[in-house]
Amino acid sequence: MSFPTLFLLAQAVVQTEITVTATRGIEEDTASSAPIVSVVTRDQALERPAPSAGHFLESEPGVLLQQTSTGQISPFLRGLTGYQVLNLVDGVRFNNSTFRSGPNQYLMFVEPSQARRVEAMLGPSSSQYGSDALGGAINVMTPESRFDGVHGDLMLSGATADWWRGGTGQVSVGNARLSGLIGGAFNFHGDLRAGGGLDSRNVYHRFFGLPQNFTGDRLQDTAYNHYGAHAKLAFRPSATQSLTTWYQRGALNDTRGYKDLLGGLGRLQSTFDPQILDFFFTRYEKQRVGPLDTLSGTFSLNRQQDGGTRQNLRSTDSITSDYVDVRSYGYSGQGSTHLGSRIAAIFGADIYDEHIGSRRTVNGASARPLYPDNSRYRTFGLFGQSNIDLLPKLRLGLGGRWTEIRFRSTAADLAFRDLTFNTSLAWQARSWLGFQALVGRGFRAPNLNDLGAIGLNDLGYEIPAQEAPGALLGDSAGETALSLRRPVEKLRPEALLNYEFGARFTSKRLYARAHVFNSGLSDPIVRRTLLFPLNGLPTQLAGLPVTPIAPTAAQRAQGVATVATAFDPRAVKAFVNDGRSRYWGVESLIRYAFTSRWSAYANYTFIAGRDLNPNRPIRRLPPQMGHAALRYTDRKSTRLNSSHA
C-alpha cells in the first residue's frame, strides 16, 4: 500500500476551513495523521443532545469535560485545561488574554448549531497556532456553504433533568457563485435535578447536617438561558477564488456559579453577567498564485464581554461587580506550495491585537478594575510547516514558529518571545500496520489574567506578582505555606516538551490506534501564597491596605508571615513561575464495522503525573476514562475511520 496522498487546503475546490491536523492548513486523513485527532460531526453529536459545541467532545480519547457550573464547559486535554488549551473557530484564534487558569466557561459561548464539526488534536501545537496550545487545540468548524439551491433544517429539544426547552433552525440559499446562510437558536435550562433528588454538596447538608434534599430535589442556581445567531455569506467569482464572511453571536443569561453558592462555598452572590460573544471573520482565498498552490488572507474580530457579581458569606460583606470587554482584531495570511512531488509546505504570519476594557464597582462605587483598563495585548507570529515523503512509506513532518507577545498598560510594558517546533515521523510498515513518533514543544506566555488580575478567587485575594515588592515565594497556595526563600520574580512563559510514540492497525473492518506520551512542563505559572519577612511586613499591596495574619509555628521559625485584605481573611496570592511537572499516559481507541450499518467503538485513556519540584501529585488530573458504544444507522456507513482517528 502506498503512503496516503496529501490534500492541500482548497486544492480542488476553494474551501474556508483549516483543520487541526499535524500540519496547519494541510488536510490529511485523520487515520494517518501523526498526532491523535478526534473529529465529531454535528450529526454524531445530536445522537446525544449537546448544550454547546464543547460537548461534542464528550467521550473522546484523551478529553475530559468538566462543568463547575451548568452554563460552563471546559475540556481537559491530556490533563490540562483553561488557558493551557487553545480554542479556534475555522482556524481563527478564539482564546484571548483574559482566559483564566483551570476550568472556564468560554467554549460554552459556541452554540451547537454554529458548529458543523469539532476537532481536537492532542499534544502541544504551538508551532501551528501559537501560545496556549500545551494540552492541545480544539477547532470548531462552522456550517459549510452550499451552492446548490435551498436547504433548511429545524430541531426542537427537550429534557426532564433540567426542564430543557430549546430549538435551532437555519436556512441556506445558493447558486453556482453565491451562497447565503442564516440561523438561530434558543435554549432554556431550568434547575438541574440531582440524582435521586439528593445533593451531597449542599451547604446546609455539609455544614449543618440537614437532609440532602433540604432545599428541594433540584440544584438551586443551576438554571440558565442560551441564545445564538449566525450567518455566512460565500462568493465564488471564479473557479479559483472565494470570499467567505462569517458572523456568530452567543449569549448566556442568568448564569450563576453553583460551586460558589449552595453547591460549594456558600457565598451569597456569584453571578456571571454579561456572557456575550460576537465573532466575525472574512477570508479571501485564491488558487494557483505564481509558484503557490493557494494563498489566503483573513481578518477577524473576536469580541467577548465577560462579567459577574460576587459577595462573600456574610450580608455585611462587600458586593463586587466586574465588567470586561475584550476586542481582538486578527490579521493572518498563509500560502501553500509543493516542492516537487514529495514535499508539501505551508507558511504564513498572524497578528492578534487585543484591546481590553475593564470596570469594577464595590458596593456601587468605582474601584480598581479586575484588569488594567485600556490595556493592550498583541501577538505576532511567523510559522512554517512541511510534510516530506522521504520514502514511499516514510513521511517526515517538520514545523516551527517564532512568536512575540507584548503587553502594555499604564503601569507596565512587557514582552515575551518564544521559538517552538514540532517533528513527526510516520512509517507505514505494512498495509495494515503503521507507526508514529513525535517530538514537539509548546509554550504559553503569561496572559492578562496572570499579569494584571486583581480580586477575590476561590483560594483568596489575588494581586499581580509585580505589585508585591519584598514578597517571598510560598511553596503552595495554602494558608500554612512555607517560604522557598526566593523572592517573587517577573513572570516567564511556561513550556511543554512532549515525546510520543504510537501504532495503528487498519483492515477492511477494523481500525485501532494507541499512543503513549511523556511530557515535561517547565516554569509552570501557578498560584502561590505570598510571604513576607516579619521585620518587613507591608501595610498595603496593589493599593489596598493589608494586615498581618498570625504566623504558624513553622512560618515563625522561618521568620515570615502572610497578609490579608479586608475583602477576605485568607492570605494574599499571586501567579508565579514555580517548579517543574511531568505528565505521562496512554490513549487508545478501536472501531469495528460489523456491517455497513452496525459498528462498535471503544476507547481508553490513562494519564498520570507529578510535580517534580517539590515532588507531589499534580492537581486536577483526570481519572482513568473509557467509553464503549454500539451504533446502528439506517444509512450505509462511510469510511471506517471517518469520525475518529
Side-chain angles (χ1 to χ4, degrees):
M1 173 177 161
S2 62
F3 200 82
T5 303
L6 280 175
F7 294 96
L8 284 175
L9 172 68
Q11 183 71 9
V13 179
V14 177
Q15 302 178 25
T16 60
E17 62 189 36
I18 302 174
T19 59
V20 182
T21 60
T23 306
R24 171 176 176 165
I26 296 179
E27 292 188 351
E28 55 185 343
D29 191 341
T30 53
S32 59
S33 66
I36 289 183
V37 182
S38 291
V39 181
V40 183
T41 67
R42 182 168 181 256
D43 288 343
Q44 292 170 322
L46 290 179
E47 294 175 2
R48 50 181 190 272
S52 77
H55 287 83
F56 283 27
L57 298 174
E58 188 174 5
S59 303
E60 291 301 301
V63 181
L64 172 71
L65 301 184
Q66 179 168 326
Q67 290 185 264
T68 52
S69 294
T70 48
Q72 175 257 20
I73 186 69
S74 191
F76 279 73
L77 271 59
R78 289 195 172 170
L80 300 174
T81 191
Y83 56 27
Q84 293 176 319
V85 170
L86 179 63
N87 300 288
L88 308 147
V89 174
D90 275 351
V92 178
R93 187 179 182 87
F94 183 77
N95 288 35
N96 66 42
S97 62
T98 66
F99 273 36
R100 294 185 285 274
S101 66
N104 59 47
Q105 77 274 25
Y106 301 107
L107 199 54
M108 194 75 182
F109 289 162
V110 184
E111 207 279 332
S113 64
Q114 297 167 349
R116 172 167 50 95
R117 72 177 191 257
V118 178
E119 303 178 345
M121 185 177 81
L122 301 179
S125 51
S126 291
S127 61
Q128 293 95 319
Y129 297 106
S131 181
D132 299 1
L134 296 179
I138 296 171
N139 195 9
V140 177
M141 314 294 286
T142 61
E144 63 182 339
S145 300
R146 306 188 66 171
F147 295 88
D148 56 350
V150 180
H151 303 271
D153 63 73
L154 176 67
M155 183 181 73
L156 300 177
S157 304
T160 59
D162 61 352
W163 296 124
W164 174 15
R165 299 92 68 202
T168 63
Q170 67 180 20
V171 61
S172 66
V173 180
N175 56 29
R177 290 183 177 272
L178 189 65
S179 171
L181 177 150
I182 188 169
F186 67 91
N187 290 280
F188 305 127
H189 297 267
D191 284 335
L192 185 66
R193 183 180 66 243
L198 304 176
D199 180 12
S200 62
R201 295 293 302 167
N202 190 286
V203 294
Y204 291 109
H205 171 69
R206 288 187 294 118
F207 296 156
F208 304 109
L210 295 174
Q212 294 186 37
N213 58 357
F214 175 73
T215 55
D217 63 352
R218 293 187 176 268
L219 309 182
Q220 292 188 23
D221 305 311
T222 56
Y224 70 98
N225 301 325
H226 191 184
Y227 303 91
H230 58 273
K232 177 177 275 190
L233 183 66
F235 175 54
R236 299 191 300 196
S238 70
T240 62
Q241 298 181 78
S242 75
L243 178 66
T244 303
T245 298
W246 166 261
Y247 169 76
Q248 70 184 79
R249 181 178 178 87
L252 298 168
N253 292 342
D254 301 323
T255 307
R256 293 175 291 278
Y258 170 72
K259 71 178 180 65
D260 293 331
L261 299 167
L262 289 181
L265 298 176
R267 286 183 173 143
L268 297 181
Q269 292 191 58
S270 179
T271 65
F272 301 101
D273 182 48
Q275 298 286 283
I276 301 174
L277 167 71
D278 291 286
F279 190 94
F280 165 88
F281 74 79
T282 185
R283 176 176 292 149
Y284 173 76
E285 296 175 285
K286 191 174 190 317
Q287 299 179 44
R288 298 189 290 276
V289 183
L292 299 181
D293 296 328
T294 64
L295 182 66
S296 68
T298 303
F299 167 75
S300 62
L301 171 60
N302 174 13
R303 183 186 183 190
Q304 297 183 26
Q305 299 178 71
D306 183 13
T309 298
R310 282 190 173 189
Q311 184 181 19
N312 228 340
L313 308 179
R314 299 170 299 184
S315 60
T316 56
D317 287 335
S318 301
I319 301 175
T320 301
S321 296
D322 288 301
Y323 173 76
V324 179
D325 185 352
V326 182
R327 304 186 187 201
S328 178
Y329 300 88
Y331 314 85
S332 67
Q334 67 180 39
S336 66
T337 188
H338 275 88
L339 303 176
S341 60
R342 293 181 175 271
I343 301 176
I346 188 164
F347 57 90
D350 50 37
I351 299 173
Y352 291 95
D353 185 9
E354 298 182 27
H355 300 246
I356 298 98
S358 186
R359 299 193 303 269
R360 166 173 285 173
T361 62
V362 178
N363 292 333
S366 296
R368 176 173 172 170
L370 175 62
Y371 306 115
D373 192 25
N374 295 321
S375 53
R376 298 277 294 277
Y377 192 92
R378 286 183 288 183
T379 301
F380 172 72
L382 294 171
F383 61 87
Q385 305 284 327
S386 180
N387 277 355
I388 305 169
D389 287 340
L390 300 176
L391 297 170
K393 296 183 179 182
L394 187 65
R395 175 181 294 171
L396 174 67
L398 297 173
R401 181 186 183 97
W402 179 81
T403 304
E404 177 177 283
I405 294 175
R406 184 170 291 275
F407 164 61
R408 287 183 178 177
S409 69
T410 55
D413 188 346
L414 304 172
F416 307 96
R417 298 174 182 86
D418 205 279
L419 183 64
T420 52
F421 71 92
N422 67 277
T423 60
S424 65
L425 193 64
W427 176 38
Q428 192 71 31
R430 297 286 187 272
S431 61
W432 49 269
L433 180 64
F435 298 98
Q436 304 85 31
L438 302 93
V439 179
R441 183 179 183 274
F443 88 104
R444 191 187 73 80
N447 71 358
L448 194 56
N449 188 73
D450 303 315
L451 295 167
I454 183 169
L456 188 62
N457 63 72
D458 292 346
L459 299 178
Y461 204 84
E462 178 181 294
I463 66 170
Q466 66 267 23
E467 298 195 45
L472 299 174
L473 186 62
D475 63 0
S476 73
E479 303 308 297
T480 60
L482 296 178
S483 170
L484 294 177
R485 303 186 187 279
R486 301 200 310 267
V488 173
E489 300 176 342
K490 291 182 179 179
L491 282 172
R492 304 179 299 277
E494 53 186 358
L496 184 141
L497 185 62
N498 178 66
Y499 300 90
E500 189 169 344
F501 178 79
R504 67 177 184 274
F505 177 92
T506 307
S507 69
K508 183 178 181 180
R509 295 182 179 274
L510 178 67
Y511 176 75
R513 187 163 186 169
H515 278 226
V516 294
F517 67 91
N518 191 311
S519 302
L521 180 62
S522 58
D523 289 327
I525 297 175
V526 293
R527 189 180 282 117
R528 291 288 183 260
T529 297
L530 301 178
L531 297 107
F532 299 87
L534 289 173
N535 59 359
L537 293 172
T539 58
Q540 70 171 25
L541 292 172
L544 296 170
V546 294
T547 56
I549 299 174
T552 66
Q555 290 172 341
R556 182 174 294 279
Q558 287 190 328
V560 297
T562 58
V563 297
T565 68
F567 294 99
D568 190 88
R570 293 170 293 181
V572 172
K573 314 294 192 300
F575 278 107
V576 299
N577 296 101
D578 182 36
R580 293 182 301 124
S581 302
R582 185 158 296 282
Y583 299 82
W584 63 93
V586 60
E587 295 143 352
S588 61
L589 61 95
I590 184 170
R591 183 177 177 88
Y592 186 80
F594 299 101
T595 68
S596 61
R597 291 179 170 85
W598 284 96
S599 63
Y601 172 77
N603 65 57
Y604 170 76
T605 300
F606 170 79
I607 183 171
R610 293 194 68 83
D611 288 329
L612 303 181
N613 183 22
N615 194 314
R616 59 189 173 194
I618 290 179
R619 297 177 61 238
R620 294 179 175 147
L621 271 184
Q624 295 184 66
M625 298 180 291
H627 174 74
L630 180 66
R631 187 172 187 268
Y632 171 80
T633 177
D634 60 358
R635 294 174 294 178
K636 289 189 176 182
S637 300
T638 56
R639 296 182 60 179
L640 175 67
N641 48 29
S642 62
S643 60
H644 298 281

